[in-house]
Amino acid sequence: MTTSHIRPSAAGTVGWPPEMVRRYVAAGYWDGQTLTAPVVAAAAATPEAVALVDGAVRFSYHELAARVDGAALRLRGLGLRPDDRVLVQLPNGWEFIVLTLACLRLGVIPVLALTPHRHHEMSYLAEHAEVRAIAVPARFRGFDHRGMAHDIARAVPTVQRVLVSAGEPDIGAVGATADRAAAVDVDLRALCRPADDVPAARTLLDAAAPDSRAVALMVLSGGTTGLPKLIARTHDDYGCHARRTAEISQFGRDTVYLAVLPMAHSMSLGMLLATLRSGGRVIVASSPAPVTALGLVERERVTATAVVPAIAQSWLNHQEADPRHDLRSVRLLLVGGARLPDQVAERMVPTLTRNLQQGYGMAEGLVCLTRIGDPDDVTTRSQGRPICADDEIILVDEDGRRVPPGEPGVLLTRGPCTPRGYYRAAEHNACAFVGDGWLWTGDIVRIRDDGNVVVEGRDKDMINRGGEKVSAEEVENLAYQVDGVGFAAAVAMPDPDLGELVCLYVVPRDGARVTLADVRSVMESAGVARFKWPERLELVGALPRTNIGKIDKKALRSEVAARLAAEVDRSTPAP
Ligand code: AMP
């Protein structure tokens, strides 16, 4: 087995300046605890309480903690050491929770990929984070993740292990991938068995707890660059996020949280950790489909959940058409990740919940939330205010000048949950962070007199497809690999269900014939996550340009929106 050298994670991170560190510690934002310490404490306080429900699996806190410790020690037995990275690509389920907590407990850094990611994204993440292991389901939604993980392991010398969770029946896959195996397969479910000697494991792991200032995990930016950037979050800063989320959402032992969104998303992971640190119960939803999710809400008496607007809208439509599910247990419904239209927000109370909570934030750190008890005008028309009093926000115009109060501008932020740079991305950091460590979010917002943020648009080249972020640049780079593409521009087009979809404008070269199928087939061959594939192709003779010669994306967005509206008009029969 190779033991390729991997550099320490700290080498690629940008820390906070010492005076900020002192300030955040003194103010109690950074409490010096690891992310798992409060979960371990909850397990000690209420060992018999149910921590986790995933289909037929029901773990008490005692069992969860015993499994986390068991997995942590077995990871160590496999040679994984604090600061080593593991690429985790697991669907929502108990294995994700146990493995992620085990990594955090040991100080191993989980790098959280999404299940739709394919070779294109996964190989880059494995290489960039220099991961020692990859955790995947054998198959998921018909795709052979194990085979992909082995292909990556062959190409990326740091990868020594592939941790595989059985999941869907693996017919044929074992034979098909065994030949390609470069790394050693580890049965993830066996790895996640309870520790053989629970008290001894606990003592050992408590004594070896990582430093709270160390990198705890890496999440992906919903960025605008060729491939997603990695954001290294420390125990202290992510702990602050989880703790403030729990406090603001009034989580406690009676919280029953339905995990619907992919747990690898920062908003979802934050809620998960907020629940477990509060001694509450996590219910894993296998699908956000209304019948499945709302059925679980009713059966498990769910009190809180977090969704993107597209899911909220589908639940609302379902419940309004047929209010068969009793949702009275839902005390809090967090909606974020994309803009919730005010009119939809107004319909949500009381049909879906007693309290609508809107959220705006990013994996880079800043989180804004409305508060329980806020007036309806705040919860239905704003995306909330920062979770920490020391989150700093300023709004600037195109020239970087502060805008007058009440006017929209691009939001820049710094704070105790917002690291000062992406992981190993010095060049990109030079433009993504401006002045003295201000993160340029590219979101255009307005701040109301009451301090709540209203998201009005964005000044960044990204498409928000139902909460999944697609970088226009990444799509364009891939489009240029299609024969006959002269110029390409990816823009958002409106969609009634997902909010936005990817539309690709192409200027063909020398009258070449380019089809949507050509573009999609190139993306498929390159192993690109499906949610990034364009849904519409517009062939044009030239692309509009701004007066400084840049492609005028605003004009393209308006044009495709107008075309879609005209198509709807034409297909609607006259009264
Ligand atoms: P992610 O890091 O994937 O959560 O993506 C963060 C980005 O999602 C933000 O920079 C915004 O562009 C967008 N976003 C998050 N929440 C909202 C919201 N409530 N309204 C509009 N856009 C949002």
CSV table of all heavy atoms in Angstrom, one decimal, residues 220-223 231 265-267 309 335-340 358-364 383 441-443 455 457-458 460 462 464 467-469, ligand 1:
chain,number,residue,atom,x,y,z
A,220,LEU,N,-18.4,22.3,0.4
A,220,LEU,CA,-18.2,22.8,-0.9
A,220,LEU,C,-18.9,24.2,-1.1
A,220,LEU,O,-20.0,24.3,-0.7
A,220,LEU,CB,-18.7,21.9,-2.0
A,220,LEU,CG,-18.3,20.4,-1.9
A,220,LEU,CD1,-18.7,19.6,-3.1
A,220,LEU,CD2,-16.7,20.4,-1.7
A,221,SER,N,-18.2,25.0,-1.8
A,221,SER,CA,-18.8,26.3,-2.1
A,221,SER,C,-19.8,26.1,-3.3
A,221,SER,O,-19.6,25.3,-4.1
A,221,SER,CB,-17.8,27.3,-2.6
A,221,SER,OG,-17.4,27.0,-3.9
A,222,GLY,N,-20.9,26.9,-3.2
A,222,GLY,CA,-21.8,26.8,-4.3
A,222,GLY,C,-21.3,27.9,-5.3
A,222,GLY,O,-22.1,28.7,-5.7
A,223,GLY,N,-20.1,27.8,-5.7
A,223,GLY,CA,-19.4,28.9,-6.3
A,223,GLY,C,-19.6,29.2,-7.7
A,223,GLY,O,-20.5,28.7,-8.4
A,231,ILE,N,-14.3,24.7,1.5
A,231,ILE,CA,-14.3,25.6,2.6
A,231,ILE,C,-13.9,24.8,3.9
A,231,ILE,O,-14.7,23.9,4.2
A,231,ILE,CB,-15.6,26.3,2.8
A,231,ILE,CG1,-16.0,26.9,1.4
A,231,ILE,CG2,-15.6,27.3,3.9
A,231,ILE,CD1,-17.5,27.1,1.2
A,265,HIS,N,-25.0,19.3,2.6
A,265,HIS,CA,-25.2,20.8,2.5
A,265,HIS,C,-25.0,21.4,3.9
A,265,HIS,O,-25.6,20.9,4.9
A,265,HIS,CB,-26.6,21.1,2.0
A,265,HIS,CG,-26.8,21.0,0.5
A,265,HIS,ND1,-26.2,21.9,-0.3
A,265,HIS,CD2,-27.5,20.2,-0.3
A,265,HIS,CE1,-26.5,21.7,-1.5
A,265,HIS,NE2,-27.3,20.6,-1.6
A,266,SER,N,-24.4,22.6,3.9
A,266,SER,CA,-24.1,23.2,5.2
A,266,SER,C,-25.4,23.5,6.0
A,266,SER,O,-25.4,23.3,7.2
A,266,SER,CB,-23.3,24.5,4.9
A,266,SER,OG,-22.8,25.0,6.1
A,267,MET,N,-26.4,24.0,5.3
A,267,MET,CA,-27.6,24.3,6.1
A,267,MET,C,-28.2,23.1,6.8
A,267,MET,O,-28.6,23.1,7.9
A,267,MET,CB,-28.7,24.9,5.1
A,267,MET,CG,-30.0,25.1,5.7
A,267,MET,SD,-31.1,26.3,4.8
A,267,MET,CE,-32.0,25.2,3.8
A,309,PRO,N,-36.9,26.3,-1.2
A,309,PRO,CA,-38.2,26.7,-1.6
A,309,PRO,C,-39.0,25.7,-2.5
A,309,PRO,O,-40.2,25.5,-2.4
A,309,PRO,CB,-38.0,28.0,-2.3
A,309,PRO,CG,-36.7,28.5,-1.7
A,309,PRO,CD,-35.9,27.3,-1.3
A,335,VAL,N,-36.9,27.6,5.7
A,335,VAL,CA,-36.8,27.6,4.2
A,335,VAL,C,-35.6,28.5,3.8
A,335,VAL,O,-35.6,29.7,4.2
A,335,VAL,CB,-38.1,28.0,3.5
A,335,VAL,CG1,-38.0,27.9,2.0
A,335,VAL,CG2,-39.3,27.2,4.0
A,336,GLY,N,-34.7,28.0,3.0
A,336,GLY,CA,-33.6,28.8,2.6
A,336,GLY,C,-32.8,28.1,1.5
A,336,GLY,O,-33.3,27.1,0.9
A,337,GLY,N,-31.7,28.7,1.1
A,337,GLY,CA,-30.9,28.1,0.0
A,337,GLY,C,-31.2,28.8,-1.3
A,337,GLY,O,-30.4,28.8,-2.3
A,338,ALA,N,-32.4,29.3,-1.5
A,338,ALA,CA,-32.8,30.1,-2.7
A,338,ALA,C,-34.0,31.0,-2.2
A,338,ALA,O,-34.5,30.8,-1.1
A,338,ALA,CB,-33.3,29.1,-3.8
A,339,ARG,N,-34.3,31.9,-3.1
A,339,ARG,CA,-35.3,32.9,-2.6
A,339,ARG,C,-36.7,32.3,-2.6
A,339,ARG,O,-37.2,31.8,-3.6
A,339,ARG,CB,-35.2,34.1,-3.6
A,339,ARG,CG,-36.2,35.3,-3.2
A,339,ARG,CD,-35.7,35.9,-1.9
A,339,ARG,NE,-36.2,37.3,-1.8
A,339,ARG,CZ,-37.4,37.7,-1.4
A,339,ARG,NH1,-38.2,36.8,-0.9
A,339,ARG,NH2,-37.7,39.0,-1.4
A,340,LEU,N,-37.3,32.4,-1.4
A,340,LEU,CA,-38.7,32.0,-1.3
A,340,LEU,C,-39.6,33.2,-1.7
A,340,LEU,O,-39.5,34.3,-1.1
A,340,LEU,CB,-39.0,31.6,0.2
A,340,LEU,CG,-40.4,31.2,0.5
A,340,LEU,CD1,-40.8,29.9,-0.1
A,340,LEU,CD2,-40.6,31.0,2.0
A,358,GLN,N,-37.3,31.9,7.8
A,358,GLN,CA,-36.5,32.0,6.5
A,358,GLN,C,-35.0,32.1,6.8
A,358,GLN,O,-34.6,32.6,7.9
A,358,GLN,CB,-37.0,33.2,5.7
A,358,GLN,CG,-38.3,33.1,5.1
A,358,GLN,CD,-38.5,33.8,3.8
A,358,GLN,OE1,-37.7,33.8,2.9
A,358,GLN,NE2,-39.6,34.6,3.8
A,359,GLY,N,-34.2,31.5,5.9
A,359,GLY,CA,-32.8,31.6,6.1
A,359,GLY,C,-32.1,32.0,4.9
A,359,GLY,O,-32.5,31.6,3.8
A,360,TYR,N,-31.0,32.7,5.0
A,360,TYR,CA,-30.2,33.0,3.9
A,360,TYR,C,-28.7,32.8,4.4
A,360,TYR,O,-28.4,33.3,5.5
A,360,TYR,CB,-30.4,34.5,3.5
A,360,TYR,CG,-29.2,35.1,2.8
A,360,TYR,CD1,-28.8,34.8,1.5
A,360,TYR,CD2,-28.3,36.0,3.5
A,360,TYR,CE1,-27.7,35.3,0.9
A,360,TYR,CE2,-27.2,36.6,2.8
A,360,TYR,CZ,-26.9,36.2,1.5
A,360,TYR,OH,-25.8,36.7,0.9
A,361,GLY,N,-28.0,32.1,3.6
A,361,GLY,CA,-26.6,31.9,4.1
A,361,GLY,C,-25.8,31.2,3.1
A,361,GLY,O,-26.3,31.0,1.9
A,362,MET,N,-24.7,30.8,3.5
A,362,MET,CA,-23.8,30.1,2.5
A,362,MET,C,-22.8,29.2,3.3
A,362,MET,O,-22.5,29.5,4.5
A,362,MET,CB,-23.0,31.2,1.7
A,362,MET,CG,-22.2,32.1,2.6
A,362,MET,SD,-22.2,33.8,2.0
A,362,MET,CE,-23.9,34.3,2.2
A,363,ALA,N,-22.3,28.2,2.5
A,363,ALA,CA,-21.3,27.3,3.1
A,363,ALA,C,-20.1,28.0,3.6
A,363,ALA,O,-19.4,27.6,4.5
A,363,ALA,CB,-21.0,26.2,2.1
A,364,GLU,N,-19.9,29.2,3.0
A,364,GLU,CA,-18.7,30.0,3.4
A,364,GLU,C,-18.8,30.5,4.8
A,364,GLU,O,-17.8,31.0,5.4
A,364,GLU,CB,-18.5,31.2,2.5
A,364,GLU,CG,-17.9,30.9,1.1
A,364,GLU,CD,-18.9,30.3,0.1
A,364,GLU,OE1,-20.1,30.0,0.6
A,364,GLU,OE2,-18.6,30.1,-1.0
A,383,GLN,N,-35.3,37.5,4.7
A,383,GLN,CA,-34.5,36.3,4.9
A,383,GLN,C,-33.7,36.3,6.2
A,383,GLN,O,-32.8,35.6,6.4
A,383,GLN,CB,-33.6,36.1,3.7
A,383,GLN,CG,-34.3,35.6,2.4
A,383,GLN,CD,-35.3,36.6,1.9
A,383,GLN,OE1,-35.0,37.7,1.6
A,383,GLN,NE2,-36.6,36.2,1.8
A,441,THR,N,-19.8,38.1,-1.4
A,441,THR,CA,-20.8,37.0,-1.6
A,441,THR,C,-21.4,37.0,-3.0
A,441,THR,O,-21.9,36.0,-3.4
A,441,THR,CB,-22.0,37.1,-0.6
A,441,THR,OG1,-22.7,38.3,-0.9
A,441,THR,CG2,-21.5,37.1,0.8
A,442,GLY,N,-21.4,38.1,-3.7
A,442,GLY,CA,-22.1,38.2,-5.0
A,442,GLY,C,-23.6,38.3,-4.9
A,442,GLY,O,-24.3,38.3,-5.9
A,443,ASP,N,-24.1,38.3,-3.7
A,443,ASP,CA,-25.6,38.4,-3.5
A,443,ASP,C,-26.0,39.8,-3.3
A,443,ASP,O,-25.3,40.6,-2.6
A,443,ASP,CB,-26.0,37.6,-2.3
A,443,ASP,CG,-25.8,36.1,-2.4
A,443,ASP,OD1,-26.1,35.6,-3.5
A,443,ASP,OD2,-25.4,35.4,-1.5
A,455,VAL,N,-33.1,39.4,0.1
A,455,VAL,CA,-32.3,39.0,-1.0
A,455,VAL,C,-33.0,39.5,-2.3
A,455,VAL,O,-34.1,39.0,-2.6
A,455,VAL,CB,-32.0,37.5,-1.1
A,455,VAL,CG1,-31.0,37.2,-2.2
A,455,VAL,CG2,-31.4,37.0,0.2
A,457,GLY,N,-31.3,39.7,-5.5
A,457,GLY,CA,-30.8,39.2,-6.8
A,457,GLY,C,-29.3,38.8,-6.5
A,457,GLY,O,-28.9,38.6,-5.4
A,458,ARG,N,-28.6,38.7,-7.6
A,458,ARG,CA,-27.2,38.4,-7.4
A,458,ARG,C,-26.3,38.9,-8.6
A,458,ARG,O,-26.8,39.1,-9.7
A,458,ARG,CB,-26.9,36.9,-7.2
A,458,ARG,CG,-27.3,36.1,-8.4
A,458,ARG,CD,-27.0,34.6,-8.1
A,458,ARG,NE,-27.5,33.8,-9.2
A,458,ARG,CZ,-28.7,33.1,-9.2
A,458,ARG,NH1,-29.4,33.1,-8.1
A,458,ARG,NH2,-29.0,32.5,-10.3
A,460,LYS,N,-23.4,37.5,-9.5
A,460,LYS,CA,-22.4,36.4,-9.7
A,460,LYS,C,-22.9,35.4,-10.7
A,460,LYS,O,-24.1,35.2,-10.8
A,460,LYS,CB,-22.0,35.8,-8.4
A,460,LYS,CG,-23.1,35.1,-7.6
A,460,LYS,CD,-22.6,34.5,-6.3
A,460,LYS,CE,-23.8,34.1,-5.4
A,460,LYS,NZ,-23.3,33.6,-4.1
A,462,MET,N,-23.8,32.4,-11.4
A,462,MET,CA,-24.2,31.1,-10.8
A,462,MET,C,-25.7,30.9,-11.1
A,462,MET,O,-26.5,31.9,-11.3
A,462,MET,CB,-23.9,31.2,-9.3
A,462,MET,CG,-24.3,30.1,-8.5
A,462,MET,SD,-25.8,30.3,-7.7
A,462,MET,CE,-25.3,31.0,-6.1
A,464,ASN,N,-29.0,28.9,-9.6
A,464,ASN,CA,-29.5,28.3,-8.4
A,464,ASN,C,-30.6,27.3,-8.8
A,464,ASN,O,-31.8,27.7,-8.8
A,464,ASN,CB,-29.9,29.4,-7.4
A,464,ASN,CG,-30.2,28.8,-6.0
A,464,ASN,OD1,-30.4,27.6,-5.8
A,464,ASN,ND2,-30.1,29.7,-5.0
A,467,GLY,N,-31.8,25.2,-5.3
A,467,GLY,CA,-31.0,25.1,-4.1
A,467,GLY,C,-29.6,24.5,-4.5
A,467,GLY,O,-28.6,24.7,-3.8
A,468,GLU,N,-29.5,23.7,-5.5
A,468,GLU,CA,-28.2,23.2,-6.0
A,468,GLU,C,-27.6,24.3,-6.8
A,468,GLU,O,-28.2,24.8,-7.8
A,468,GLU,CB,-28.3,22.0,-6.9
A,468,GLU,CG,-28.8,20.7,-6.1
A,468,GLU,CD,-27.9,20.2,-5.0
A,468,GLU,OE1,-26.9,20.9,-4.7
A,468,GLU,OE2,-28.3,19.2,-4.4
A,469,LYS,N,-26.3,24.7,-6.5
A,469,LYS,CA,-25.7,25.8,-7.2
A,469,LYS,C,-24.9,25.3,-8.4
A,469,LYS,O,-24.1,24.3,-8.2
A,469,LYS,CB,-24.8,26.6,-6.2
A,469,LYS,CG,-25.5,26.9,-4.9
A,469,LYS,CD,-26.7,27.7,-5.0
A,469,LYS,CE,-27.4,28.1,-3.8
A,469,LYS,NZ,-27.6,27.2,-2.7
B,1,AMP,P1,-24.7,27.4,-0.5
B,1,AMP,O1,-23.4,27.7,0.0
B,1,AMP,O2,-24.8,26.2,-1.5
B,1,AMP,O3,-25.7,27.4,0.5
B,1,AMP,O4,-25.1,28.6,-1.5
B,1,AMP,C1,-25.1,29.9,-1.0
B,1,AMP,C2,-25.8,30.8,-1.9
B,1,AMP,O5,-27.2,30.4,-2.0
B,1,AMP,C3,-25.9,32.3,-1.4
B,1,AMP,O6,-24.7,33.0,-1.7
B,1,AMP,C4,-27.1,32.8,-2.2
B,1,AMP,O7,-26.7,33.1,-3.6
B,1,AMP,C5,-28.0,31.6,-2.3
B,1,AMP,N1,-29.0,31.7,-1.2
B,1,AMP,C6,-29.0,31.1,0.0
B,1,AMP,N2,-30.1,31.4,0.7
B,1,AMP,C7,-30.8,32.2,-0.1
B,1,AMP,C8,-32.1,32.8,0.1
B,1,AMP,N3,-32.8,32.6,1.2
B,1,AMP,N4,-32.5,33.6,-0.9
B,1,AMP,C9,-31.8,33.7,-2.1
B,1,AMP,N5,-30.6,33.1,-2.3
B,1,AMP,C10,-30.1,32.4,-1.3
